[in-house]
Structures are given as C-alpha cells and as structure tokens.
Amino acid sequence: LSETELAKKYGMSRTPIRRVLQMLEAEGLVETKPNVGSIVTTVDLKSLRDAFALRIRLSELLGDMSPVSDLYPVMMALDELLPECKALVERPDVGALCAISHRLQDVLLGLSGNSEYRTVTDALYYKTIRAYYTILAELDWRMEAEAQVEEIHEILVSLQANDVRAVGLVRRNH
C-alpha cells in the first residue's frame, strides 16, 4: 500500500493516510517495511479463531452494555439497509455485501452506550471479517446474501420487541 497512491486516490494528504496505516499496523492488519511501504498481513488462523471466539461471546453481552433507550434511529437505518440487501440475493456484488455488513456493524454499535465495548467489538469485527471477505466470492452467493437478509430481519424483529439482548444473540448466531 503506497501512502502517495492512497492519498491521490482519496484526494487527501499523506498525513491522514499515514495515521490510518499506523492504526492498521497496531491492529496487526498491515506491516510497514522501510523503503517498501505497508503490506497487508496474512491471516494467522489461531489468532483469527481466538478473535472470532471473543467476538461471538461479546456479541452476547450487547444488551448488558448500557443499551441505549431510543431504538428508533437504529430501526430506521436497518429499514433502509434491508431492501438493499434483498436486492443482492439476485444480483451478486461482493463489494456491496461487504459495505452492507460494515454499515450493519456501525448501526449495531449504536445500540450500546459503553464506549469500550464499542471499541473492542469494532476492532474484533474488522479483524475477523477480512477472512470472510477473502473467501466470499467462492461461497454459495444466494445462501450468503439470504443469511445477511435474515440477520437484518431478525434484528429488526428483536428491536421492535424492545429486546436489545436478543439483538446480541441474533448477531452471535449469524
């Protein structure tokens, strides 16, 4: 990854690009080598398994981590996300499904008022999801897209019942 090329592509200076690359390096997602640049690291399977196991357990705690009282903004965001995801069942687009997954993660983080929970959960999400994205194109597309639709639908049903704990369990199960 070239700082110069990324800065040019995103229309910004190299300084914010460098900061992002440093954050990614701290999370073990890239390795920076002098006179070479930043290189995306390979997935360490043991570390990935450990991170995923922790991510699953933490998702179960969502309802206990200072849940917000106003669920309406989250439900509205999910109502917008659901038809976009349904459209992908018949129209495979790995990038679009990844974007929906990221937006779902962001929306669900808004259910907790605990900033540490949000930080750790988000870091584990991005650490583990990249392995899924690597193999997504090789999986049964319809099954993967329908699973995402089902997850969003089940989360909406849980929120309509005012049950944030159930949202965490849905997330864990999916």
Side-chain angles (χ1 to χ4, degrees):
L1 302 171
S2 163
E3 287 179 17
T4 305
E5 290 176 23
L6 289 169
K8 185 177 179 180
K9 179 177 180 177
Y10 294 104
M12 57 180 47
S13 71
R14 288 177 52 200
T15 302
I17 298 294
R18 186 176 302 118
R19 286 188 194 132
V20 168
L21 290 173
Q22 288 169 342
M23 289 171 47
L24 291 172
E25 184 171 26
E27 293 176 16
L29 299 175
V30 299
E31 180 181 351
T32 303
K33 296 184 178 189
N35 302 320
V36 175
S38 298
I39 301 167
V40 176
T41 59
T42 58
V43 175
D44 172 9
L45 289 180
K46 181 178 180 341
S47 175
L48 180 64
R49 275 191 218 105
D50 291 347
F52 193 71
L54 181 56
R55 180 178 163 212
I56 287 174
R57 294 297 297 205
L58 285 176
S59 67
E60 297 172 3
L61 298 175
L62 177 61
D64 299 324
M65 294 292 117
S66 305
V68 297
S69 57
D70 186 8
L71 303 179
Y72 184 75
V74 174
M75 289 191 288
M76 292 307 298
L78 294 176
D79 278 337
E80 291 175 15
L81 210 52
L82 191 57
E84 290 178 43
C85 194
K86 285 180 177 178
L88 293 177
V89 172
E90 300 299 329
R91 183 183 48 85
D93 183 339
V94 171
L97 190 61
C98 293
I100 286 171
S101 179
H102 292 337
R103 286 169 47 206
L104 177 61
Q105 172 67 11
D106 290 343
V107 167
L108 294 181
L109 285 177
L111 289 173
S112 174
N114 184 311
S115 63
E116 292 300 316
Y117 175 83
R118 289 192 314 265
T119 299
V120 171
T121 301
D122 206 37
L124 290 170
Y125 166 80
Y126 283 104
K127 186 171 188 172
T128 57
I129 202 69
R130 74 181 186 146
Y132 173 68
Y133 293 156
T134 302
I135 63 168
L136 181 56
E138 300 167 23
L139 300 175
D140 178 327
W141 177 262
R142 177 176 285 281
M143 188 174 87
E144 297 303 315
E146 286 176 348
Q148 188 70 85
V149 168
E150 183 180 317
E151 180 180 11
I152 294 169
H153 175 74
E154 289 177 12
I155 290 170
L156 273 167
V157 168
S158 299
L159 291 173
Q160 289 163 352
N162 202 31
D163 191 348
V164 177
R165 278 199 175 118
V167 172
L169 297 176
V170 169
R171 192 71 167 152
R172 175 202 67 196
N173 292 340
H174 282 274

